[in-house]
Amino acid sequence: MNKKVIIITLIGVVIGLISGYAYYHYVGCVSGTCSITSKPLNSTLYGGVLGGLLFNMISDFFKKKPS
């Protein structure tokens, strides 16, 4: 992994963390029985992992192809 891929992945993690918390705050789970959205920590961490994975996958498209 080069520096550019790591930076793109970290940006994805940060965006995912923010999105996960926003999902908990605005949608959430009123009854408390939902395993992911019942607590802000669970929702935030889950969003961070998904954001990191998504942006890491997308970073492959930004690589220069040898010509």
Side-chain angles (χ1 to χ4, degrees), residues 1-22:
M1 289 180 72
N2 59 10
K3 190 174 181 179
K4 185 176 181 181
V5 173
I6 293 172
I7 291 172
I8 291 173
T9 303
L10 288 176
I11 290 171
V13 169
V14 171
I15 290 173
L17 291 171
I18 293 168
S19 300
Y21 184 78

Side-chain angles (χ1 to χ4, degrees), residues 1 5 8-9 12 50-61:
M1 289 180 72
V5 173
I8 291 173
T9 303
L50 287 179
L53 289 173
L54 180 68
F55 273 63
N56 191 343
M57 187 174 64
I58 290 174
S59 70
D60 292 339
F61 294 114

Side-chain angles (χ1 to χ4, degrees), residues 9-64:
T9 303
L10 288 176
I11 290 171
V13 169
V14 171
I15 290 173
L17 291 171
I18 293 168
S19 300
Y21 184 78
Y23 186 83
Y24 162 78
H25 183 66
Y26 292 112
V27 178
C29 182
V30 178
S31 64
T33 58
C34 308
S35 60
I36 295 173
T37 58
S38 62
K39 297 178 184 173
L41 180 63
N42 294 347
S43 181
T44 303
L45 291 177
Y46 189 75
V49 168
L50 287 179
L53 289 173
L54 180 68
F55 273 63
N56 191 343
M57 187 174 64
I58 290 174
S59 70
D60 292 339
F61 294 114
F62 294 119
K63 290 182 181 176
K64 290 186 179 178

